Amino acid sequence: MKTVVFAFAMSSLMVAGATAASVTNQDQQSQILIVTEGSDKIEMVVDAGATVSFCPAGCFVTMPSGDRETLGGTETITIINGAAVIK
């Protein structure tokens, strides 16, 4: 019984760690997002037509428009005409 509970707990943790926010750039040119996780800040280039997963444990993101959003790590972002749509 302990083995079953342990296996269930481990599989739940693995699934939780597998989630991440994603961004799809539907524009014809690359877009740059500024991603801040903890004290680390990076510029993430998303090529035209590309989808990138990032931010598995929550982060702050500055969108191409300059808007800043807080993400929990499960959101889907679509960039259309330089604007971000978050679902």
Side-chain angles (χ1 to χ4, degrees):
M1 181 65 177
K2 288 181 185 179
T3 304
V4 172
V5 172
F6 179 74
F8 179 74
M10 291 304 292
S11 65
S12 295
L13 288 174
M14 289 173 28
V15 168
T19 61
S22 66
V23 59
T24 300
N25 181 7
Q26 294 185 351
D27 287 351
Q28 296 298 314
Q29 68 276 359
S30 296
Q31 295 289 347
I32 298 174
L33 303 176
I34 299 171
V35 180
T36 305
E37 291 183 272
S39 62
D40 296 329
K41 184 184 253 187
I42 62 165
E43 288 188 354
M44 183 175 72
V45 178
V46 184
D47 292 329
T51 299
V52 178
S53 293
F54 68 106
C55 190
C59 62
F60 294 101
V61 178
T62 304
M63 303 298 172
S65 64
D67 293 339
R68 190 168 185 199
E69 298 290 337
T70 303
L71 302 181
T74 59
E75 296 83 359
T76 301
I77 302 168
T78 305
I79 299 174
I80 303 170
N81 298 323
V85 178
I86 302 172
K87 297 178 186 171

